Amino acid sequence: MTPTPQTSQENHVTGATIWLTGLPSAGKTTIAYELAGRLRDEGHRVEILDGDEIREFLSAGLGFTREDRHTNVQRIGFVAELLASHGVKVLVPVIAPYEDSREAVRKRHAAEGTPYVEVHVATPVEVCSVRDVKGLYAKQAAGELTGLTGVDDPYDEPQNPDLRIESHTQTVQESAAQLYALLTERGLA
């Protein structure tokens, strides 16, 4: 019996979780959407698990204590692994400020045999506070907000991410291309 040739859609059945961590306004979501477009154009199944949407729909009721942030990251990690194990490229632009929370997600993926890529969008806080996409840094500076990651709440920078993107020194397209190159190198794009 001769094997049936694969269609381009069938060539992209390997799922993976690509977690983009970094400070608020670092560029995580912007890079994720840029990469998602490229992957979709090539026939990949792609989902973006946006942190704000997750907080509204999946983690409503959680606050911003260390325990609640850990619970939020674990929920997102569970959903990401579930989707990735079914052939979806899952882009997760979520701060995930604590190393132990990110490591627990990585271990879950490893235990399930699901590819996982950690990307540190390493934008300095000074640049993030100027970008201030959601006005969080301004609110924190005005005393209207406490617990801002990287300012008055900790952010554990990844020590050994699979990729570190210096988004403040390149365009969004260059950042997405850098990540795409890594996925290609690993057989995931």
Side-chain angles (χ1 to χ4, degrees), residues 60-145:
L62 288 180
F64 291 90
T65 65
R66 182 176 180 87
E67 296 76 24
D68 283 355
R69 288 177 191 241
H70 178 77
T71 298
N72 186 47
V73 168
Q74 297 317 297
R75 287 178 183 176
I76 297 168
F78 173 80
V79 172
E81 194 284 322
L82 183 66
L83 289 167
S85 71
H86 287 88
V88 178
K89 301 292 187 303
V90 185
L91 305 177
V92 185
V94 173
I95 296 170
Y98 307 120
E99 184 70 33
D100 59 339
S101 296
R102 294 190 304 266
E103 187 57 28
V105 171
R106 180 186 292 276
K107 286 179 179 176
R108 171 180 195 78
H109 280 70
E112 298 296 328
T114 305
Y116 179 84
V117 177
E118 182 180 78
V119 179
H120 179 206
V121 182
T123 309
V125 69
E126 299 79 23
V127 174
C128 294
S129 66
V130 170
R131 288 180 181 172
D132 204 10
V133 177
K134 299 174 192 164
L136 299 175
Y137 293 93
K139 287 180 182 177
Q140 193 276 336
E144 299 169 16
L145 175 77

Side-chain angles (χ1 to χ4, degrees), residues 2-14:
T2 25
T4 308
Q6 289 186 322
T7 67
S8 73
Q9 191 71 15
E10 290 170 331
N11 287 333
H12 301 301
V13 294
T14 302

Side-chain angles (χ1 to χ4, degrees), residues 22-83:
L23 296 175
S25 297
K28 302 175 299 295
T29 302
T30 305
I31 294 166
Y33 275 96
E34 180 71 24
L35 179 61
R38 182 169 184 179
L39 291 171
R40 285 185 182 118
D41 287 347
E42 295 179 358
H44 295 272
R45 295 170 54 207
V46 179
E47 286 295 332
I48 297 175
L49 298 182
D50 180 86
D52 293 334
E53 291 174 358
I54 294 293
R55 278 221 173 249
E56 182 178 349
F57 298 107
L58 185 65
S59 295
L62 288 180
F64 291 90
T65 65
R66 182 176 180 87
E67 296 76 24
D68 283 355
R69 288 177 191 241
H70 178 77
T71 298
N72 186 47
V73 168
Q74 297 317 297
R75 287 178 183 176
I76 297 168
F78 173 80
V79 172
E81 194 284 322
L82 183 66
L83 289 167

